[in-house]
Amino acid sequence: MKATIQFINSELHGLYPVSEIEGFTRIIFEAVCGWSFTEQVVKKHEKIQDVDFRKIQKIVSRLKRSEPVQYILGESEFYGLKLNVNPSVLIPRPETEELVDWMVHCNLPENSRILDIGTGSGCIALALKSVLKKANVSGTDISEGALETASENAVKNKLDVRFYQSDILKQENMNNEIYDVIVSNPPYIRESEKLRMLPNVLEYEPANALFVSDNDPLVFYSSIAAFAKKHLTLNGKLYLEINENLGFEMKNMLFDFGFCNIEIRNDINGKNRMVCCTKSFH
């Protein structure tokens, strides 16, 4: 095992930070050998089987091409759940876990009706259902591939969440139900911000789930706000993950739609990353 760790380190040295390589190593050994982190420490002098070493070589060669380890292994962790991921969905981020955590600790009614718009892998909807057992949770997305993945994740985690296809920009096939809570992590990265992004995101993750034009960066948010205005109960809550650079614009837009109690929160890195607001009148 020690020799295999040295192989991983030498192959990825200079391509990733040391801490990230250590993280890859733990994930790889767990995925290929089935060893927990504790077992990896205990078994560090054990011999790796040839078939497992060949699997590790293939994983490392894909990591050298900047392919995300979650796509290579087909799985990611989110809020205590193991989720299938593939290039049809974004890899769930820690910032989105923070949004879910905020919602979970906001004393939402236990039988809340919750809609996740742009559900992707289903991570937000499924995480909420895993905690709010009596909530009626559904998710919607324009992508058939995303909906297939989200449905697989619901079965995998034994969570009763309904997923359906719709286009929030046209509000086609959006159902006419009324919700207590609507949440969304829509595309919000401006085209001009691409330059600061890493190749593992740009080359592998779905662009239609990431980017918006510089001319209308709030295009998804204004459509979601319009839908929420019609489909939230009085005093219903709207939660959104946002572009760290557009907090002021988000607040103004939500105010113009008539939402109140607009609160922007920072993520763990101190960036404006999420907003909650309340529907105050019909």
Side-chain angles (χ1 to χ4, degrees), residues 80-129:
L81 303 175
K82 283 208 184 285
L83 302 176
N84 294 349
V85 291
N86 54 62
S88 71
V89 298
L90 288 182
I91 296 162
R93 303 297 203 270
E95 297 88 347
T96 310
E97 285 186 307
E98 291 184 67
L99 175 64
V100 169
D101 204 53
W102 185 13
M103 295 175 73
V104 164
H105 290 96
C106 271
N107 298 318
L108 300 174
E110 62 175 16
N111 59 347
S112 290
R113 294 159 296 177
I114 302 172
L115 175 66
D116 174 24
I117 297 173
T119 196
S121 65
C123 62
I124 294 176
L126 294 167
L128 290 170
K129 181 65 177 177

Side-chain angles (χ1 to χ4, degrees), residues 93-266:
R93 303 297 203 270
E95 297 88 347
T96 310
E97 285 186 307
E98 291 184 67
L99 175 64
V100 169
D101 204 53
W102 185 13
M103 295 175 73
V104 164
H105 290 96
C106 271
N107 298 318
L108 300 174
E110 62 175 16
N111 59 347
S112 290
R113 294 159 296 177
I114 302 172
L115 175 66
D116 174 24
I117 297 173
T119 196
S121 65
C123 62
I124 294 176
L126 294 167
L128 290 170
K129 181 65 177 177
S130 73
V131 179
L132 306 168
K133 308 284 189 194
K134 295 182 181 176
N136 182 329
V137 184
S138 51
T140 183
D141 205 289
I142 194 171
S143 161
E144 286 183 17
L147 291 168
E148 193 175 314
T149 304
S151 298
E152 287 170 5
N153 286 327
V155 172
K156 180 177 186 169
N157 290 281
K158 299 181 173 65
L159 293 167
D160 181 17
V161 175
R162 182 171 62 92
F163 295 104
Y164 68 93
Q165 189 171 28
S166 69
D167 181 355
I168 187 62
L169 293 184
K170 297 174 185 172
Q171 305 204 0
E172 286 176 5
N173 306 321
M174 297 293 290
N175 62 40
N176 286 314
E177 293 175 35
I178 300 298
Y179 300 95
D180 302 295
V181 180
I182 292 175
V183 58
S184 185
N185 174 23
Y188 58 67
I189 300 167
R190 292 173 290 189
E191 290 284 339
S192 59
E193 293 168 331
K194 274 186 178 180
L195 297 171
R196 299 198 291 275
M197 299 185 71
L198 296 170
N200 61 325
V201 176
L202 284 176
E203 292 173 19
Y204 292 97
E205 297 202 56
N208 65 344
L210 288 167
F211 299 111
V212 288
S213 77
D214 286 62
N215 298 331
D216 192 5
L218 302 185
V219 56
F220 285 96
Y221 294 99
S222 54
S223 204
I224 291 164
F227 178 82
K229 187 101 181 289
K230 290 181 190 170
H231 294 272
L232 273 177
T233 54
L234 188 61
N235 297 319
K237 301 283 188 185
L238 174 61
Y239 289 88
L240 301 163
E241 185 171 325
I242 64 171
N243 185 318
E244 65 187 87
N245 301 306
L246 297 172
F248 177 76
E249 291 84 350
M250 278 294 307
K251 204 164 189 175
N252 282 346
M253 184 271 290
L254 291 168
F255 181 79
D256 288 344
F257 269 99
F259 289 92
C260 67
N261 303 327
I262 302 166
E263 181 186 354
I264 291 181
R265 280 204 182 180
N266 291 348

